Amino acid sequence: MRLELIDRNEARVDNVYLDTLGIPTVGFGVALTARQRDRSMRVDQEHVDALADVLNLDPARREQLNALLSDYSKVQNRHIDERFRNLGAFQRSQFGQEAQEVLGPTTNTRHEGPNGAFYSWDVLTDRQSPLQLSLTHEQSLELFQRIAPVYESRLNRILQRADCPAEALSEEQRAALYSMTYHGATGKANRVAEPIGEYWRGEISEEQLQTELRRAVHDPNFPQRSANELELLQNIERRPVRETDAPEHPQQGLDNATPANSTGGARPVDDLPPQGEQERRRMIGDDRHRNDEALPRENPTAFTTGDPDLDKLAAALFADDEAAISRVSAQIEQSPQVQSFEQWGRGLVAAQQREELQQEPAPQQGPAMRM
């Protein structure tokens, strides 16, 4: 799913080409130079080494490739953030002229991709190029698979910063976030992950989540990519059931322990659950059980309770992580389920007090007062 989305967003070109920012790229959008924190560009050595390995370049050609890209990154740094709509405009620009002095001729090549026909500004393919490189389809796949785990690790760090647990994501949503991470839009990925985590914890509604996703995903510079990512983000992972009306019985047999009224019958009609409430509780319990079975456990060696929040607490206790214990305990204390238990308990006490008042004998009426 990740590869399919990357292919839709980037399309595969089995040689080195320049994107609209002049970044040398190959295969499934693998950039060979990378932007630094100060916005300068330098050779992405990890990607270049992976490309050289896939192509099985000899030491001399490896050194030549690195030297060319190092010289070209200097050209890029003289033209930071310059963007071009077509190849002609690029070739006529100072940026394009300097690029061709380093990399050789730039040619416009037509391809058929998942979104239809597209063109690439190919370099290092012409006979007059200082170095000629091309890949097979299999080599492009191998190159992507070589670098893919790096972006998975980056995505995991983004999710941690956004307080978005991995289990809150559907596979489609994770693929969309992976695409953002892969393209360097880490701030965008963080803005998307935050409301997903909030929805998972029950802090916002699904309607609010959809609004936040549409706002965070939109990028006017890449409208098609944004549309593709938003399409996958609509596949929302069903969050754990959190009852807001009345919890299931906190301990077995509690209903049987409810005091009877003064006539020895059942508890007052006003205290009985609404019609169908017991069936609703049973269905919620069944859904929660099935949902919990699908949830990965944070620590397989710790015991499980069947409740996601309590499982997090169990994992934190097992790891002796005081910060995590405090954080999860606070979340549980403020959770809708605990709040509903408190409300249910207050209602039970009130019902018992009403029954006790009904059981008390009426006071003896004294002699009438005379005026």
Side-chain angles (χ1 to χ4, degrees):
M1 191 179 297
R2 293 155 176 72
L3 179 60
E4 180 182 350
L5 182 57
I6 297 299
D7 195 15
R8 288 173 63 190
N9 289 341
E10 285 283 352
R12 188 190 85 252
V13 178
D14 296 325
N15 52 258
V16 181
Y17 63 95
L18 302 180
D19 70 2
T20 57
L21 286 170
I23 298 175
T25 314
V26 63
F28 290 96
V30 180
L32 300 179
T33 60
R35 192 180 302 280
Q36 308 304 297
R37 292 185 180 275
D38 62 358
R39 299 194 61 76
S40 66
M41 303 294 293
R42 69 167 175 79
V43 175
D44 191 321
Q45 200 60 56
E46 188 172 8
H47 288 185
V48 174
D49 288 344
L51 173 62
D53 290 342
V54 167
L55 291 174
N56 196 26
L57 297 183
D58 58 50
R61 297 184 76 196
R62 283 175 180 262
E63 184 178 352
Q64 185 180 9
L65 175 60
N66 275 287
L68 284 172
L69 292 174
S70 178
D71 290 343
Y72 180 70
S73 67
K74 298 174 184 176
V75 174
Q76 287 182 281
N77 286 326
R78 290 194 290 270
H79 303 278
I80 294 293
D81 292 334
E82 292 184 21
R83 185 185 298 272
F84 302 89
R85 291 185 175 275
N86 56 68
L87 180 58
F90 176 72
Q91 291 174 325
R92 291 189 297 270
S93 70
Q94 184 66 30
F95 189 0
Q97 293 174 22
E98 293 179 20
Q100 292 181 93
E101 290 176 4
V102 176
L103 301 176
T106 306
T107 58
N108 214 17
T109 307
R110 188 177 189 274
H111 305 270
E112 291 294 333
N115 296 320
F118 68 97
Y119 289 83
S120 62
W121 304 350
D122 295 348
V123 295
L124 303 183
T125 57
D126 192 88
R127 291 182 179 180
Q128 300 179 30
S129 301
L131 183 65
Q132 296 177 10
L133 299 175
S134 63
L135 297 82
T136 64
H137 175 60
E138 291 73 18
Q139 287 174 326
S140 290
L141 283 173
E142 182 182 353
L143 178 60
F144 175 80
Q145 292 164 354
R146 284 279 298 269
I147 68 171
V150 174
Y151 293 95
E152 287 287 357
S153 298
R154 292 181 186 177
L155 176 54
N156 287 334
R157 292 195 293 271
I158 290 172
L159 294 176
Q160 186 176 14
R161 288 196 300 269
D163 196 16
C164 178
E167 61 267 27
L169 297 171
S170 65
E171 282 301 308
E172 292 85 356
Q173 288 178 320
R174 188 173 181 99
L177 286 167
Y178 181 89
S179 170
M180 299 171 199
T181 307
Y182 189 83
H183 293 105
T186 54
K188 175 180 174 180
N190 191 85
R191 291 191 297 273
V192 170
E194 284 179 346
I196 293 177
E198 291 170 353
Y199 170 77
W200 181 257
R201 293 188 295 274
E203 297 170 5
I204 61 175
S205 66
E206 183 173 337
E207 182 179 357
Q208 291 173 313
L209 171 62
Q210 296 284 10
T211 300
E212 290 299 321
L213 291 179
R214 287 192 294 270
R215 181 184 296 115
V217 170
H218 178 64
D219 186 342
N221 292 321
F222 300 99
Q224 185 60 54
R225 180 187 301 173
S226 299
N228 292 340
E229 292 166 347
L230 185 59
E231 179 183 342
L232 291 188
L233 287 169
Q234 303 304 313
N235 295 275
I236 297 172
E237 183 74 3
R238 189 177 69 172
R239 63 187 176 190
V241 175
R242 292 178 171 87
E243 300 175 60
T244 57
D245 297 331
E248 294 180 291
H249 307 313
Q251 65 185 46
Q252 189 172 4
L254 183 60
D255 278 349
N256 296 332
T258 302
N261 61 20
S262 58
T263 60
R267 48 185 183 165
V269 175
D270 289 344
D271 294 333
L272 290 174
Q275 186 175 5
E277 177 68 11
Q278 292 181 350
E279 177 64 16
R280 185 189 71 84
R281 292 176 180 177
R282 184 190 64 78
M283 293 176 66
I284 289 176
D286 290 344
D287 286 344
R288 183 172 60 187
H289 177 68
R290 286 192 295 269
N291 192 64
D292 287 345
E293 287 181 339
L295 290 174
R297 302 303 179 187
E298 293 189 6
N299 189 335
T301 59
F303 68 89
T304 58
T305 66
D307 182 279
D309 290 330
L310 292 180
D311 285 349
K312 291 180 181 178
L313 180 59
L317 290 168
F318 187 87
D320 196 21
D321 186 339
E322 293 185 2
I325 292 171
S326 299
R327 183 175 63 254
V328 175
S329 297
Q331 291 175 353
I332 292 174
E333 184 177 346
Q334 298 300 322
S335 69
Q337 189 173 14
V338 170
Q339 298 296 322
S340 64
F341 266 106
E342 292 182 359
Q343 183 178 359
W344 185 85
R346 288 192 293 269
L348 180 60
V349 170
Q352 291 174 340
Q353 289 175 344
R354 288 197 298 271
E355 291 176 356
E356 290 172 358
L357 288 175
Q358 292 173 359
Q359 294 175 14
E360 290 181 359
Q364 296 291 332
Q365 186 174 358
M369 295 182 63
R370 300 180 182 274
M371 296 297 292

